[in-house]
Structure formats: structure tokens, C-alpha cells
Amino acid sequence: MRILGIDPGLAIVGFGFVDKEGHKVTPVQYGCIQTEAHTPEEERLLHVYEGMVQLIDKYKPDAVALEKLFFSRNVTTALPVAQARGVLVLAAVQRGLPVAEYTPMQVKQAIVGYGKAEKRQVQEMVKMFLKLSAIPKPDDVADALAIAVCHAHSYSLNSKLNEVLRK
């Protein structure tokens, strides 16, 4: 199973493709889609959408996992991120891909085993778990890989639970 993890944003969209075979999760490709700061928002959204469509078409994931949007204070910065998230979900759904969402706490719990882990701990665990030579940069890329790994673990657990419930 190939999973695409996405850390949504308007300036930087982190992405990470991983393959899950049995209990083994291996990185396939990772990086980011970046947009220029002083470009009109609608052009930036189009760039994010088109970039994601190209990645999906090239790497052909079986599932997509995104971080749930969370904001507590600044609605102004949350709105562009929400719009970018919308075009990312649209790109996946148009290709018939199932989309899963995880809170930052769920991702931290899956990667580190502690829902309030520090960002650096998550990054180190992603590096170690995927046997990478360095922590992926920018941070959005490491976050996207963490989301993909979280889905790999959650998908297995949910599949087993569904099997038990069907019996």
C-alpha cells in the first residue's frame, strides 16, 4: 500500500510518499510544493493544486492522509491554510483516493508514543523509523512523512478492528 502524507499550507505544502508492506514502512519520495509570497492567493492555490495532481499521478498512492486544521488564535492565517487544504483534498478525491485526517496529537502519539511530544522528537523518530540519513527539511516535509507513517499504523489497526467486528 502506498500512502501520501500531506502537511497542508499555502506557502509550503509538505508531502511524503511511503510504502507499507506488512509491518515495514519505507520512504518512496518526499519534498514540498512552494508558492511565492507576493503572488495572488488564487494563483498560489492553483499552483498547490496542480503540483499535488502531478505528484498523485506520478506516484499513484492508494490513500492520502492529511493533518487536521487546528488554530486557536489567528483566524487570518488559518483561512489561507484551510483553502490550500481544500484544493489538496479536491486533488485526492478527484483521483478516487480515500482521505484520512489526523490531529497533531494523534500523529505525535503514533510516532513518538506521546501526544504532547516536541516537534524535534517527532522529526528524530521519523528519521530513525524511515532510516533516513537526515531529518527532512523544511519541517513541513518531516511533518508530512510523520502523517504518512501515522496512517500506516492506524490503517493496520483499523483493518484488524474491522475484521474482528465483522466476525
Side-chain angles (χ1 to χ4, degrees), residues 5-102:
I6 301 173
D7 183 29
L10 185 60
I12 301 172
V13 175
F15 68 85
F17 291 88
V18 299
D19 282 346
K20 178 173 175 30
E21 295 179 44
H23 295 292
K24 187 176 180 186
V25 179
T26 55
V28 174
Q29 182 61 274
Y30 51 90
C32 63
I33 301 168
Q34 295 184 310
T35 64
E36 295 293 325
H38 300 291
T39 306
E41 197 169 286
E42 59 274 12
E43 289 179 30
R44 295 174 85 181
L45 289 169
L46 179 62
H47 181 73
V48 165
Y49 172 79
E50 289 176 340
M52 188 52 60
V53 166
Q54 288 175 359
L55 288 166
I56 289 171
D57 288 348
K58 182 174 182 178
Y59 294 102
K60 302 190 183 328
D62 300 301
V64 175
L66 290 108
E67 187 171 77
K68 278 188 180 177
L69 184 59
F70 173 79
F71 63 95
S72 57
R73 290 182 294 275
N74 196 343
V75 176
T76 307
T77 56
L79 289 175
V81 174
Q83 290 178 312
R85 196 176 177 288
V87 300
L88 292 162
V89 170
L90 176 64
V93 171
Q94 281 184 328
R95 300 278 180 295
L97 298 171
V99 176
E101 301 177 302
Y102 299 95

